[in-house]
Amino acid sequence: MEYTQLGRSGLSVSRLVLGTMNFGPETSEEDSFAIMDRAHEQGVNFFDTANVYGWSKGEGVTENIIGRWFAQGGERRERTVLATKLYGSMGDWPNENRLSALNIRRAADASLRRLQTDYIDLYQMHHVDRRTPWDEIWEAFSVLRQQGKVLYFGSSNFAGWHLAQAQEAARSRHFLGLVSEQSIYNLLTRWVELEVLPAARHYGIGVIPWSPLHGGLLGGVLRKQREGGASRGNSGRSADALDSHRDAISSYEKLAAELGVDPADLGIAWLLHQDGVTAPIIGPRTMSQLEGSLRAVDVSLDADTLGKLDELFPPPGPNGAKPAPEAYAW
């Protein structure tokens, strides 16, 4: 496994993040434990979760599973850079969601109880809160840090200008601010290249892409359909996206075959080659999916291959090869 720094921080993290969203709803606790153990064996030290994962309001299903895994000992907690998130609703009463100082305090304490730990390495805002002032947010976060409950802070699903807003507010308080931003980013969804990635690079914020395979569409969906699988690509938004990009995805799978790599490995490896990307989030439901994703770290892509991928999945904007605003303006 390769390691890198998380943004401008001194924190060393693996080039792949173990996403745990499937633990509970899709993956049994026993299998989740096995996947986390195997991730450690392969050098993955960066785990991501959220208080809402498990999708049973207020229960924190996935955090509880991770907490019981930590409770087994064996330096499981000590070897893990633990990231969780708050924002989503954890109850039906006021102040049980968003980023008020009250919810930040309550949500952090609740996550610590479920995770059976006394500190969170990276505490992330799951979404921007447009109605809570940044002074309130950073003050509440600074208290958590002073108490030793949280070491670093990150964001998720922020626009570029939200990153700038957050960092300038933190700077005025002489506070470290954000060290990471978790955004949807893959070959089919490249909007972050316009403003989010440039802002993140400028402020020293590491980008953690989620949905690196766009719901499985970049994981060999056409091949799996021919073999009778790929259920995620057969319905809903995945099916609509597949219809819109079928030719490009077909060419993409052929390119992967020519390179002798799995399409999923190619999609994750492409992200690892992008300037400003710290580590894509892999979200395995099974051990075999984890083992497959780990191969991507060893895939090296030359300039010719990267150019072919840009042709198949062009950067956003009419002049997408250029940075914003030139990507969409003169």
Side-chain angles (χ1 to χ4, degrees):
M1 179 54 60
E2 298 177 1
Y3 299 89
T4 188
Q5 305 304 112
L6 181 60
R8 69 193 184 287
S9 78
L11 187 65
S12 294
V13 295
S14 50
R15 292 299 317 271
L16 294 176
V17 182
L18 180 65
T20 63
M21 188 171 66
N22 290 313
F23 294 178
E26 301 288 340
T27 306
S28 70
E29 183 162 321
E30 180 182 2
D31 288 345
S32 299
F33 282 14
I35 288 171
M36 288 187 281
D37 283 335
R38 182 59 175 163
H40 267 184
E41 290 173 6
Q42 294 300 306
V44 177
N45 76 332
F46 197 4
F47 290 12
D48 176 73
T49 190
N51 59 358
V52 295
Y53 287 174
W55 315 119
S56 294
K57 186 180 286 187
E59 295 185 16
V61 172
T62 303
E63 284 189 335
N64 276 310
I65 289 173
I66 296 170
R68 289 190 287 271
W69 180 72
F70 284 150
Q72 295 180 103
E75 296 190 336
R76 285 174 170 84
R77 175 65 186 97
E78 292 78 5
R79 296 175 62 197
T80 302
V81 174
L82 174 63
T84 191
K85 298 184 283 290
L86 83 154
Y87 179 90
S89 181
M90 293 296 285
D92 298 322
W93 200 245
N95 301 308
E96 292 188 288
N97 61 1
R98 305 178 76 95
L99 300 175
S100 69
L102 179 58
N103 188 51
I104 287 172
R105 174 180 176 173
R106 289 175 173 172
D109 286 344
S111 285
L112 289 168
R113 286 194 298 271
R114 287 189 291 266
L115 291 162
Q116 301 194 44
T117 184
D118 57 2
Y119 72 100
I120 295 163
D121 295 284
L122 177 65
Y123 203 32
Q124 304 160 105
M125 296 167 276
H126 214 156
H127 198 280
V128 67
D129 187 345
R130 296 181 177 90
R131 68 187 186 195
T132 303
W134 277 108
D135 281 346
E136 178 179 348
I137 293 169
W138 282 129
E139 182 176 12
F141 281 162
S142 67
V143 170
L144 291 179
R145 198 171 197 207
Q146 289 163 7
Q147 293 173 333
K149 294 178 179 179
V150 176
L151 300 182
Y152 300 94
F153 296 93
S155 58
S156 183
N157 305 304
F158 275 34
W161 77 276
H162 293 134
L163 297 179
Q165 211 179 21
Q167 293 304 79
E168 293 304 324
R171 189 201 303 269
S172 72
R173 303 178 64 87
H174 306 287
F175 197 64
L176 180 64
L178 302 173
V179 299
S180 65
E181 157 61 19
Q182 199 176 120
S183 289
I184 184 169
Y185 186 25
N186 56 59
L187 279 164
L188 282 165
T189 305
R190 299 180 61 169
W191 294 107
V192 296
E193 294 175 6
L194 290 176
E195 304 286 356
V196 174
L197 273 177
R201 290 193 294 261
H202 175 77
Y203 285 107
I205 299 170
V207 173
I208 306 169
W210 59 269
S211 193
L213 301 179
H214 203 76
L217 294 188
L218 296 169
V221 62
L222 296 178
R223 181 196 67 201
K224 292 174 183 176
Q225 283 185 347
R226 291 193 297 270
E227 296 170 353
S231 59
R232 292 183 71 192
N234 290 333
S235 61
R237 288 184 297 175
S238 291
D240 293 339
L242 178 57
D243 288 341
S244 300
H245 300 281
R246 183 175 294 273
D247 290 343
I249 292 172
S250 177
S251 297
Y252 166 80
E253 293 189 12
K254 290 176 182 176
L255 176 61
E258 292 170 3
L259 296 171
V261 301
D262 190 87
D265 297 342
L266 179 58
I268 295 172
W270 177 81
L271 283 169
L272 290 168
H273 282 71
Q274 303 310 303
D275 184 22
V277 168
T278 296
I281 298 174
I282 56 173
R285 297 189 303 278
T286 65
M287 184 68 76
S288 63
Q289 289 181 345
L290 170 66
E291 298 285 1
S293 297
L294 294 171
R295 296 191 300 262
V297 177
D298 297 321
V299 177
S300 180
L301 305 178
D302 59 24
D304 180 61
T305 300
L306 292 171
K308 290 178 180 177
L309 290 170
D310 279 341
E311 291 176 7
L312 292 175
F313 306 103
N319 308 309
K322 297 180 179 180
E326 291 86 353
Y328 49 79
W330 52 272

